[in-house]
Amino acid sequence: MSKLSSVIGIITLFFFQVNEGPKKKNKVFIERGHTICQKYKNETFCKALSFYKEKQYDSCYAYSSKALLLTNKAEEIAYINFMQAYSAYKKGFYKKALQSLHSITNEEENILEKQVLLGSVYLSLKEYNKSIVHYQKALEKKPEPFRKKNIYHNLGVNFLQKRAFGKANEYFLKEVSLIKKKDTAAIIRAKIDLANLYYNQYLDDKAIPLFQEAYDLSKLYSDFNLKQISVRNMAVVEKNRKNYQKSIEYYMEYGNWKDSIWNRDKIWELTEKDKQLAVAQKQQEIVLQEEQLKRQAVVQKSLVIGASGLLVFLGFLGYFYRELKSKNRFITQQKEELNVANKTKDYLFSVVSHDLRSPINTIKRQHEKLKRQLKNKEYDAVSETTNNAIALTESTSHLLNNVLHWSLEQNNQLSFKAEEYPLKPLVEQAVYNFEEIAEAKNIALTTKLEATILVKADKESLKIVLRNLLDNALKYTGENGKIEVKTYNDSEEFSVIKIKDTGFGISEEKLAKIKGLEDLSIDKINRSEGVGLGMLLCQTLIKKNNGKLLIDSELEVGTTIRILLPNASA
């Protein structure tokens, strides 16, 4: 195994954006799109262009497909094909991107964008020779310096993967020559690129100092991804040097950046929100007290007016009485919401104390075991113990994600925006994220998705639901099992996402409890009955999307889950 397979390098496929201060759009290309929009008045094209500018690539891909059916203008067709190709590339659908790119003619105004994107797609597909050809054709068009720097970078990556170290070194040095001194992120990436290059040539004396410099710089920089990559490189280097104790320390730091920082920031954010709510509640109490004092002053003044103002006084008294009743209803409502919030807090503490105790204790034992193995020089067992600890950490991270999402939803802090968008790309992306896990367990994960379905729902909450359900399907399906994901129109009102597995199934008693979650509130949950937070979160988010979650299961046969979502309006 080459060193390249052990060390993490940065293979960043730049096109329209570059990490030089604020991210820059290709203004000339966007302006050409606006000109075409105004020239041909194709509303579908204009909408696709708008989604493209806003980086909403699912919607851009769908509207680009529609726009192609509504035009026969060569200029417009070429531009649409490029937007569709770029959207597919950003979503990881590389073969679809190639289909669209090969439909673009080689007019002068299209050639640079086409060649750069072809180079990026082929690099993602690991077809390095083709990628090199297209990047070199792009350089012939004399691109801007920021784009030329990115092309040099990706040419260096191509030659590094081909183990043509001399050519890789040549292009990485050309990239370095275009980096500005104040661009710390680019400097860190360049040092890692060159370190990888030297390391794969076994020039450790040159490579390791560069890895160390990149690591030291990343500690002073705010980009968490660069911090993680830099410290992971140091862990691998120390492992290859057989300095296992130092390698373990770097791996633990890497884990902290990957998990703890994100969780800490979320917890800090929730704490700040709680403080803001407490301040707002106190301010409202002061306002209510001031209004009460004002009412008392008005009543006293009204009494002095006497009999001649009795009718006017009674009218004002009636008005203030209605206001007081309204305020009392508002206070009562706030009290009920506070009770629900307290019960939610108690439930979340119960989840954390009950469900986290076991994995945390297990991780502690794994670390003690790892320490013992290192002390006894049982190096062959270190890798297995480390993998077990990582798996437990990932499981615990999944539970924390559900706790945080549930807490945000209960406090109305989870962003929710129902929009119309195509269902197929979203489901494809969710399934794509689990393909490697399915392959590792030898599970056949297949899809049958209709391309024409448009639904109205909140995309982010639906992603949370799909991740939970697919994770459960893979968790409870044994080796050589099958999982099928299908979408179809159920009626004029609803479309369906169907997830069917051949797993262990669910008992009738447990299935009845899960189905009861549909109308279950937090104050009715009995933790002793084994009701999980993940399924409760799924039911809550689907219900908030005006949909339904239906579950059928049979022990030793499998489970079928159907998500019904409202169709987009015609």
Side-chain angles (χ1 to χ4, degrees), residues 199-217:
Y199 203 62
N200 277 274
Q201 299 176 75
Y202 296 90
L203 302 175
D204 292 9
D205 291 342
K206 290 185 176 181
I208 294 176
L210 287 172
F211 280 129
Q212 184 69 52
E213 289 174 15
Y215 169 70
D216 293 337
L217 275 175

Side-chain angles (χ1 to χ4, degrees), residues 367-384:
H367 286 168
E368 292 173 349
K369 183 178 179 180
L370 185 62
K371 182 179 179 181
R372 185 171 62 254
Q373 289 170 344
L374 289 171
K375 183 178 180 181
N376 297 333
K377 299 183 178 180
E378 298 173 2
Y379 299 133
D380 292 339
V382 168
S383 178
E384 180 180 356

Side-chain angles (χ1 to χ4, degrees), residues 90-93 424-434:
K90 293 299 288 185
K91 300 301 295 181
F93 306 142
K424 181 180 178 182
L426 175 63
V427 178
E428 282 181 332
Q429 187 63 44
V431 172
Y432 177 81
N433 292 333
F434 286 90

Side-chain angles (χ1 to χ4, degrees), residues 437-478:
I437 301 175
E439 183 178 351
K441 292 187 67 176
N442 200 23
I443 294 174
L445 179 57
T446 61
T447 61
K448 187 177 181 182
L449 310 175
E450 292 189 14
T452 59
I453 296 177
L454 291 174
V455 297
K456 185 173 184 180
D458 172 64
K459 182 185 297 185
E460 296 305 319
S461 63
L462 189 53
K463 286 181 181 178
I464 294 170
V465 172
L466 288 173
R467 283 197 296 267
N468 271 281
L469 297 180
L470 287 170
D471 183 73
N472 283 343
L474 285 165
K475 185 185 298 182
Y476 297 112
T477 299

Side-chain angles (χ1 to χ4, degrees), residues 198-240:
Y198 295 141
Y199 203 62
N200 277 274
Q201 299 176 75
Y202 296 90
L203 302 175
D204 292 9
D205 291 342
K206 290 185 176 181
I208 294 176
L210 287 172
F211 280 129
Q212 184 69 52
E213 289 174 15
Y215 169 70
D216 293 337
L217 275 175
S218 71
K219 291 195 293 185
L220 304 175
Y221 193 60
S222 60
D223 190 316
F224 291 155
N225 289 328
L226 289 179
K227 292 177 185 290
Q228 293 174 24
I229 292 169
S230 299
V231 73
R232 179 70 182 274
N233 284 342
M234 293 303 300
V236 175
V237 167
E238 295 299 341
K239 179 181 177 182
N240 291 339

Side-chain angles (χ1 to χ4, degrees), residues 400-413:
L400 281 173
N401 285 338
N402 280 342
V403 170
L404 287 171
H405 288 141
W406 175 257
S407 177
L408 289 169
E409 197 282 329
Q410 289 294 297
N411 287 282
N412 293 320
Q413 297 172 21

Side-chain angles (χ1 to χ4, degrees), residues 532-550:
L533 182 61
M535 287 305 299
L536 177 59
L537 180 62
C538 289
Q539 287 282 15
T540 300
L541 294 180
I542 291 299
K543 189 174 182 181
K544 195 169 183 179
N545 276 291
N546 298 317
K548 299 178 182 179
L549 186 64
L550 307 177

Side-chain angles (χ1 to χ4, degrees), residues 291 295 298 311-327:
E291 289 182 355
R295 287 197 296 269
V298 170
L311 294 176
V312 176
F313 168 74
L314 291 175
F316 275 106
L317 186 61
Y319 168 77
F320 286 119
Y321 177 74
R322 288 192 299 271
E323 285 292 304
L324 184 58
K325 286 186 66 176
S326 176
K327 295 293 183 182

